[in-house]
Amino acid sequence: MITLFVAMITVTISYMQAKQNWSGSMAIKKNLNENKKFVLAGDFNVIPKEIDVHNPESWTNDALFHEDTLKKFWSMMNLGLTDAYRAINGDKVEYTFFDYKRVTNFINNKGLRIDHFLTSPEVTDLVMKVDINREPRGWENASDHTPVILEINN
């Protein structure tokens, strides 16, 4: 498994350009061409689709959901990766991140799905379950992210 965190900082053109320049596409292509089993997992700080955010209209100018960021993300996905959560859960609406700035966001389920498991075709066939566990987010001093659990058949 390859883990990843794409830093979220104040949205600036230079930040968006840096984010778009990173995709790891050479390594992804190499592993896909060699039919390797791998999972690219972590906090991508990317909202892939409107269904993955409460109130998508308010995020269109943010780097997380900006048109240029999405183009880069989908060009990486189109190399042959699968969003394991969507493959298993279809259009189910769940979020992995709830901003601390608005205390009621978690209570009212106003969040984002920005933590992802992206799988190679060989792993996609083995995915049994992908769950988002909201419970720990409600604990005292919890992270603003919720755990996402990927279960694969070995």
Side-chain angles (χ1 to χ4, degrees):
M1 180 178 326
I2 303 164
T3 59
L4 148 82
F5 169 74
V6 179
M8 179 57 198
I9 57 175
T10 304
V11 178
T12 64
I13 296 300
S14 60
Y15 167 65
M16 289 199 323
Q17 287 170 343
K19 189 171 187 171
Q20 291 163 21
N21 288 337
W22 185 92
S23 70
S25 46
M26 293 303 288
I28 293 168
K29 283 180 190 176
K30 181 181 186 302
N31 284 296
L32 287 169
N33 288 338
E34 295 174 3
N35 295 319
K36 290 190 178 177
K37 293 180 183 176
F38 69 92
V39 177
L40 192 56
D43 177 359
F44 283 77
N45 273 314
V46 173
I47 304 164
K49 297 180 177 181
E50 287 188 1
I51 193 172
D52 297 316
V53 59
H54 171 78
N55 193 13
E57 300 80 23
S58 66
W59 290 88
T60 55
N61 290 321
D62 189 287
L64 299 175
F65 198 49
H66 192 274
E67 177 183 351
D68 294 335
T69 301
L70 292 176
K71 282 181 187 174
K72 194 64 170 180
F73 178 80
W74 286 106
S75 71
M76 180 182 70
M77 292 295 292
N78 290 335
L79 294 172
L81 299 174
T82 298
D83 177 346
Y85 178 84
R86 284 280 162 239
I88 295 297
N89 294 296
D91 289 339
K92 187 174 182 181
V93 176
E94 289 186 297
Y95 305 119
T96 64
F97 176 87
F98 299 89
D99 194 346
Y100 283 128
K101 294 176 189 168
R102 295 181 183 91
V103 178
T104 59
N105 278 1
F106 176 68
I107 295 164
N108 296 319
N109 198 36
K110 295 180 178 178
L112 322 166
R113 191 175 72 89
I114 58 175
D115 303 278
H116 307 290
F117 286 111
L118 309 180
T119 56
S120 67
E122 293 74 19
V123 173
T124 301
D125 294 339
L126 303 174
V127 175
M128 304 298 292
K129 197 161 118 174
V130 184
D131 286 329
I132 295 173
N133 182 357
R134 285 179 46 101
E135 183 184 346
R137 178 58 180 86
W139 297 345
E140 187 176 338
N141 298 318
S143 169
D144 45 5
H145 293 263
T146 60
V148 184
I149 301 131
L150 171 70
E151 184 178 319
I152 55 177
N153 186 5
N154 224 350

